[in-house]
Amino acid sequence: MEKLILIDGNSIASRAFYALPLLSNSSGLHTNAVFGFTTMLLKLIEEEKPTHFLVAFDAGKVTFRHADYKEYKGGRAKTPPELSEQFPLIRELVQSFGIPQFELPGYEADDIIGTLTRLADEKGLNVIVVSGDKDMLQLASERVTIALTRKGVSEVDRYTPEAISEKYGLVPKQIIDLKGLMGDASDNIPGIPGVGEKTALKLLHQYGTVEEVLSKADEITGKMQEKIKEHAADARMSKELATIFREVPMEMKLDELHFAGFDGPTLGAMFRKLEFKSLLEKMDLSSGDGADEALQATVEIEIVSTQTLGILANEFPDVEAVHIEIVGENPHVSDVIGLALLTSKGKSLFVPAELLDTPEAGALRDWLADEHASKTVYDMHRTEVALHWKGIPLRGVTFDVLIAAYLLDPTESTHTLNELAGRYNLSPISADENVFGKGAKFKVPEIGPLSEHLSRKADLLAKLKPVLKGELEKNEMNPLYYELEFPLARVLASMEKQGIRVNADGLRQLGGDLGKSIEKLAEGIYKGAGMEFNLNSPKQLGDILFDKLGLPVIKKTKTGYSTDAEVLEKLAPYHEVVSSILNYRQLAKLQSTYVEGLLKEIRGETGKVHTYYQQTIAATGRLSSQFPNLQNIPIRLEEGRKIRKVFVPDEPGWSVLAADYSQIELRVLAHISGDENLKEAFLNDMDVHTKTAMDVFGVSETEVDSNMRRQAKAVNFGIVYGISDYGLSQNLNITRKEAGQFIEQYFSVFKGVRNYMDDIVKQARTNGYVTTLLQRRRYLPEINASNFNLRSFAERTAMNSPIQGSAADIIKLAMVQIAGRMKREKVRSRMLLQVHDELVFEVPEDELDLMKRLVPEVMESALALDVPLKVDVSYGENWYEAK
DNA sequence: AAACTCACG
DNA sequence: ACGTACGTGAGTTTT
């Protein structure tokens, strides 16, 4: 069955442009409309499988319509340059798809499409017209379906003549009459003033056409008659303007519109140019989908067997890189599925994972554990943890490609090898998703494709290494890499392998108590609401609060009423159930996340939880913690804080010791800004929020009350986050004006801070990035955006990242140094957790004095600043007591 | 998979 | 005028 798709290129491009955020590629070219256009084409090709295809464009600005009505499309906002610059790209894209395109001076895309649908109809071809313009509906017929975009470009509504009749009660041709009556503001078509869709439809249902309406105007009552008579000429002209011209002088040669599907490599090349990485991966165009094997690196592969494992040892000195594939998100509970060793001769030795457990694998295991056998790997940290649970130590890693890639651009959301190939212009490899499948479809492939994929990864590691090393050098990141992040990876692995003991019985007890309270609260709430519902559903809760109980709506979310804690607190005075709901939320959170969630993470073998720190996620350089997240264990409210009691030392009689930096971010700010006043506060070891209150409110220390201190504290937070009057006003529940005055007052006293904020934003604008004390970078491509929101966000990030990131540098440095000291001092104490500005240890009785002294000493001297770093230490029989 | 909510620094 | 505080991870419901 032959099927023709006709696309209104201009209409779809502008729909896509306004529907998507302003993306831009590395050279600053905007690509959001191109991206939306691409998505639409891909979807159409997949779903419709057209045999014939055409994209029509408007040519130039003046069409025959202007000859009749020069205001046509006047008053319309000029096409923004961000969109017009994308049209050449869209044409190029269409060409890369192998889709014919057409334009004709003096005619709009819809006239071309109108003409083609007429011709196609005559030839008995089925047609789908894709546009964002309702006018197109006039073209619908038995063979011609109109697909109109709905919210964005990803979804379309299909209109057959039946569908049009159902929706409007009109036949397709009457769409022209509809517009003749109601006009179209966007094209500056007047219609009859005061006639909107409703009235126009009513008139058409009665009279059928504009002409009929005009001639029978006398029958119409009231003001409407007057209007119609007065604007009869407008209506006639509007109808004419809205009529798609279906006699464009053109021929349709069907074979010229033939579409045989796109060519993977051609399209892939275009996507690479546009930097559509996600699409490249999703479609596996980077690997060429098997069709263009030539694009992939070719590697000679030897699959190792038990017989050849023994002689493998001869090759070890030649191994340049080893890729160890681990499946599963959590390396503590994951499987190793194979190793690929790339030798300097460019050959890959592939070892299936099963072989690791055979007696013949002794030499390989020894090599992996050999401190002196130098290896380049991808993600040492994760690999070390996974191998650990198989009883294999990993040592001798000298270069980690993942960490290097992260440092070179920490804002990239992931750094998969397949992406890195693209990022550094090396031969592409398949994305894991395409080799393994994803989600429920995940499957380890046959040894052939598996060995090939992993060998290509190993090969890529060897090729990436010199490139990344060069980039690190160029960015002056060698100390950051070799003295901080790389050694830290091993420290993290050892903390995670150690794990922290959790008192499961204590946790279950807590859960039981919570369960009872939760049940009571729920009962009370149902009673107060007059019915039972799912309390965990914000949607249902919103219906109850705002529709049933009629409470005032404070805030809305994208999809409905907001019911977050901030809203509920404001509603509490109106109805007694509200505070119970807040209570319920608090306890339910504790129950599901911290009692049930934590219990699930306790390992049977060890009775401990083994978190995994992500070292290559946070754009600022912070760590993050998963499986479970131990960086967000409750502390602010007493009920939640009790959770900390179940975190206990591994051995009886030991203590949990916690050491946290006091005000590290503000101290860092004092240092980088050089603000004399702020520095002085820390040099005199003052309470910084009190000091801020004194200066902002112009009072003496004794006059600072708790409310002033609270507000000053919020100002300090705001400063660290990249202040805005709006943000501060939200936080303090004051007006924007008042917040603005606070900020102004703050800057007049802390002039150095203001200068820093101005400078850092300027720096970001000139360099495109900002740096931390240890030269960690964060790129801010949106710092020069014309969109206010994007630009403001980038500016705040420019202010915040060096502060948050330098604080991260410092504690990471302290961790590496402490790990070194603990090893040298041969202590039995262990470092267990990092919570951004806090380190947690477990310490035997006889080492308490040593550790109480050593830990803060190292932390405070990790990096010398112009102000002292201060660390508070405490300890107890569990994490709760270490406060 | 996305939206909402909430825990931490 | 614009309309968000910076950085994370996880549980639940809804689509």
Side-chain angles (χ1 to χ4, degrees), chain A residues 718-750:
Chain A
I719 293 291
V720 168
Y721 293 156
I723 197 131
S724 76
D725 50 4
Y726 182 84
L728 183 66
S729 72
Q730 289 292 298
N731 192 288
L732 281 178
N733 239 323
I734 56 177
T735 67
R736 234 173 80 180
K737 203 172 165 194
E738 289 165 326
Q741 283 163 359
F742 274 161
I743 295 167
E744 201 38 55
Q745 191 59 32
Y746 178 95
F747 279 138
S748 73
V749 193
F750 297 95

Side-chain angles (χ1 to χ4, degrees), chain A residues 21-38:
Chain A
L22 251 193
L23 307 165
S24 54
N25 69 5
S26 57
S27 54
L29 212 56
H30 295 104
T31 53
N32 61 333
V34 194
F35 187 81
F37 211 104
T38 307

Side-chain angles (χ1 to χ4, degrees), chain A residues 205-217:
Chain A
H205 291 156
Q206 199 170 346
Y207 300 103
T209 63
V210 168
E211 291 73 18
E212 206 49 25
V213 171
L214 298 179
S215 70
K216 304 257 174 74

Side-chain angles (χ1 to χ4, degrees), chain A residues 576-822:
Chain A
E576 62 198 14
V577 290
V578 178
S579 63
S580 296
I581 295 168
L582 276 164
N583 243 322
Y584 171 90
R585 281 254 178 97
Q586 188 201 337
L587 301 189
K589 174 86 178 179
L590 293 177
Q591 183 76 303
S592 64
T593 306
Y594 297 102
V595 175
E596 290 163 2
L598 209 52
L599 279 170
K600 279 185 213 144
E601 294 290 344
I602 299 176
R603 300 258 310 211
E605 311 96 288
T606 59
K608 297 178 175 185
V609 291
H610 299 263
T611 191
Y612 177 65
Y613 288 103
Q614 284 285 3
Q615 198 183 349
T616 58
I617 289 287
T620 51
R622 275 191 175 182
L623 299 175
S624 77
S625 156
Q626 295 174 303
F627 321 126
N629 181 353
L630 294 183
Q631 291 183 318
N632 69 349
I633 303 300
I635 191 167
R636 292 171 190 169
L637 301 171
E638 180 55 29
E639 295 93 318
R641 193 171 192 158
K642 292 207 161 61
I643 298 279
R644 294 184 171 226
K645 293 188 182 197
V646 305
F647 290 86
V648 295
D650 188 19
E651 304 187 35
W654 287 33
S655 299
V656 171
L657 180 143
D660 64 289
Y661 280 109
S662 159
Q663 302 297 350
I664 187 165
E665 293 193 338
L666 287 171
R667 287 172 196 263
V668 164
L669 174 62
H671 175 84
I672 6 191
S673 69
D675 184 279
E676 291 303 330
N677 197 21
L678 195 55
K679 282 202 309 201
E680 195 198 302
F682 288 120
L683 286 166
N684 295 328
D685 198 21
M686 294 177 75
D687 176 319
V688 69
H689 302 316
T690 303
K691 162 76 175 161
T692 306
M694 289 162 58
D695 292 351
V696 169
F697 296 106
V699 296
S700 73
E701 186 165 357
T702 50
E703 288 168 319
V704 175
D705 61 27
S706 63
N707 194 41
M708 290 158 89
R709 187 176 181 279
R710 181 184 65 86
Q711 305 211 50
K713 189 172 168 179
V715 173
N716 279 329
F717 268 95
I719 293 291
V720 168
Y721 293 156
I723 197 131
S724 76
D725 50 4
Y726 182 84
L728 183 66
S729 72
Q730 289 292 298
N731 192 288
L732 281 178
N733 239 323
I734 56 177
T735 67
R736 234 173 80 180
K737 203 172 165 194
E738 289 165 326
Q741 283 163 359
F742 274 161
I743 295 167
E744 201 38 55
Q745 191 59 32
Y746 178 95
F747 279 138
S748 73
V749 193
F750 297 95
K751 293 196 170 66
V753 175
R754 165 178 270 167
N755 287 337
Y756 160 75
M757 297 294 171
D758 292 347
D759 284 352
I760 198 77
V761 170
K762 272 185 211 144
Q763 254 181 55
R765 278 201 269 267
T766 30
N767 300 332
Y769 62 86
V770 292
T771 56
T772 66
L773 289 175
L774 296 188
Q775 299 309 313
R776 185 189 302 281
R777 268 185 199 192
R778 174 158 186 185
Y779 291 92
L780 298 165
E782 281 159 354
I783 195 81
N784 294 315
S786 58
N787 179 308
F788 173 88
N789 277 329
L790 291 179
R791 191 179 62 248
S792 306
F793 184 55
E795 286 170 359
R796 289 195 300 276
T797 311
M799 299 182 225
N800 170 267
S801 287
I803 301 172
Q804 192 181 114
S806 297
D809 291 350
I810 293 171
I811 191 165
K812 283 175 161 182
L813 202 53
M815 290 168 78
V816 171
Q817 292 175 4
I818 289 173
R821 276 291 286 279
M822 288 173 67

